[in-house]
Amino acid sequence: MQPLLEPGDRMEEASPEPSVSLWSKIYTFRTMAWEAYKKKPSSHWILLFLSSAAMLVAFPASSILSRLYYSNGGTSKWIISWVAVAGWPLTALILFPTYFFCKTFPTPLNLKLTLSYIVLGFLSAADNLMYAYAYAYLPASTAALLASSSLVFSALFGYLFVKNKLNASMINAIVIITAAMTIIALDSDSDTYGNITNSQYITGFIWDILGSALHGLIFALSELVFVKLLGRRSFHVVLEQQVMVSLFAFIFTTIGVVVSRDFQAMKSEAKSFEGGTTSYLLVLIWGAITFQLGVLGATAVLFLSSTVLAGVLNAIRVPLTSIAAVILLHDPMSGFKILSLVVTFWGFGSYIWAVHPLVKIPHNTRS
């Protein structure tokens, strides 16, 4: 019988290929990053950095302020939802000068574009209301950890609507983050405030997950609007989209506040607020400013990169919020929550590793 390998070929076939050293991988990644950097002007990367920083700083600050509102005596879900979109004129103040300095003109509104802004505005208003219920009944650290599930929905909806790639590592990250959410659910007994009942905790838990799902959908639909309807690659288009969506969300939320008569209740609520009326107003004003800056940064990241990077940054800021809540608000931090935080980091790492070839050259993810 003839042997499978000739004697002279045995060592050549059996010898493994030389392994690639860690330094070689680092050098290759650095080279790829430098090539990606050279494909875009410096202004692009500066703007992307500032937009990412806005997401990672402003969103956690807004979350802390939302929880502070409830812990200091606030009770209205509609008021917190309204505060989230009341800062929309800030974006308009940034938008108008760009027409003069950049010598551009407003994007013409047609029926499809207007309807898309109305739909996104309504979804944003609903999303803010869901998160208001979450922060009313959950510790800020827990609400933020649950909100990391928005990465799961961002990946799924980005795959369905924008045709972003979804590979095995992303699916692995989705499973890991889902497991982290399950760990938090198992720790509900030691994770509630003294004045919150179990049914309220469960309500906040459910609304947080639903809000995260809607948040992921909004990310995907926003990118779809950029790709299919707007088309032009200029930052003022990003600002226009944010102004219009926030305006319609503000209109829908204002209707809710008026119908619920929460505007009339603000005066008495401010008097009973811990720290008095001044503290009450400062919490609401800074809540409006920080949330608007965070959303503006997220929208800019969507334009400059894709749903992938926006979803990753939106997930990374979640542990930042959890840590800040433990330090500033003395949120309970049990062993289960620490385990959930570690598992969530693991999921983030898996996701970032899976998508880094997609985000290293942003224009590859857009049609």
Side-chain angles (χ1 to χ4, degrees):
M1 180 180 295
Q2 185 178 0
L4 295 177
L5 293 174
E6 296 296 331
D9 294 336
R10 186 178 300 275
M11 288 299 294
E12 181 179 350
E13 293 293 328
S15 60
E17 296 182 359
S19 59
V20 180
S21 67
L22 177 61
W23 290 111
S24 297
K25 293 181 179 180
I26 294 175
Y27 177 79
T28 302
F29 179 78
R30 186 178 65 180
T31 302
M32 293 169 60
W34 177 248
E35 290 298 324
Y37 173 78
K38 292 191 295 184
K39 290 179 181 293
K40 293 287 185 179
S42 298
S43 59
H44 171 90
W45 299 109
I46 292 173
L47 196 56
L48 183 59
F49 172 79
L50 293 176
S51 301
S52 302
M55 284 189 67
L56 296 178
V57 174
F59 270 141
S62 175
S63 298
I64 295 297
L65 290 169
S66 295
R67 182 56 229 172
L68 188 64
Y69 166 80
Y70 290 112
S71 62
N72 284 9
T75 58
S76 173
K77 316 302 185 299
W78 279 109
I79 290 296
I80 285 297
S81 303
W82 182 79
V83 164
V85 288
W88 72 268
L90 294 176
T91 308
L93 291 176
I94 300 174
L95 170 63
F96 293 141
T98 62
Y99 293 132
F100 299 98
F101 291 111
C102 300
K103 297 180 179 180
T104 57
F105 297 94
T107 303
L109 286 175
N110 53 43
L111 181 59
K112 286 186 178 180
L113 189 57
T114 303
L115 287 176
S116 69
Y117 287 154
I118 294 174
V119 170
L120 286 173
F122 176 79
L123 293 178
S124 296
D127 190 46
N128 294 332
L129 186 60
M130 291 178 184
Y131 279 131
Y133 273 93
Y135 280 96
Y137 299 138
L138 300 175
S141 55
T142 302
L145 277 171
L146 290 175
S148 66
S149 60
S150 65
L151 177 61
V152 173
F153 298 107
S154 178
L156 294 176
F157 288 128
Y159 172 77
L160 292 174
F161 296 116
V162 197
K163 307 305 179 184
N164 287 332
K165 294 181 179 180
L166 189 64
N167 56 34
S169 295
M170 292 183 187
I171 296 174
N172 178 60
I174 289 172
V175 173
I176 292 171
I177 293 174
T178 303
M181 303 305 101
T182 305
I183 292 172
I184 296 179
L186 295 174
D187 191 37
S188 59
D189 291 339
S190 62
D191 195 40
T192 56
Y193 290 122
N195 60 335
I196 300 298
T197 64
N198 287 334
S199 61
Q200 287 175 327
Y201 183 92
I202 294 173
T203 299
F205 193 100
I206 294 173
W207 281 120
D208 206 341
I209 296 297
L210 292 176
S212 299
L214 188 53
H215 202 73
L217 177 62
I218 291 171
F219 266 131
L221 293 180
S222 296
E223 186 177 8
L224 193 64
V225 169
F226 280 128
V227 172
K228 299 295 184 181
L229 299 180
L230 293 174
R232 284 190 292 169
R233 297 296 187 261
S234 58
F235 189 61
H236 84 274
V237 176
V238 180
L239 297 177
E240 287 176 340
Q241 194 249 30
Q242 184 54 45
V243 168
M244 295 302 296
V245 172
S246 296
L247 173 60
F248 283 114
F250 177 78
I251 292 172
F252 286 123
T253 308
T254 301
I255 294 173
V257 176
V258 171
V259 171
S260 64
R261 298 182 179 275
D262 281 2
F263 273 140
Q264 293 89 325
M266 287 181 70
K267 187 174 181 179
S268 60
E269 190 175 68
K271 290 181 178 179
S272 60
F273 194 78
E274 185 176 337
T277 302
T278 302
S279 296
Y280 181 81
L281 293 177
L282 285 175
V283 168
L284 296 185
I285 292 172
W286 279 109
I289 294 173
T290 54
F291 188 89
Q292 194 63 28
L293 289 177
V295 174
L296 179 60
T299 307
V301 169
L302 276 172
F303 170 73
L304 296 168
S305 181
S306 70
T307 301
V308 170
L309 183 57
V312 168
L313 291 173
N314 188 58
I316 290 175
R317 57 99 176 175
V318 169
L320 298 180
T321 306
S322 299
I323 295 171
V326 171
I327 296 173
L328 300 176
L329 301 179
H330 306 292
D331 271 15
M333 181 58 76
S334 64
F336 274 109
K337 190 180 290 187
I338 294 174
L339 177 60
S340 177
L341 185 60
V342 171
V343 172
T344 302
F345 267 120
W346 178 17
F348 293 162
S350 178
Y351 193 90
I352 293 171
W353 175 259
V355 303
H356 81 272
L358 304 178
V359 300
K360 67 177 185 290
I361 304 176
H363 68 267
N364 283 354
T365 62
R366 308 187 71 86
S367 58

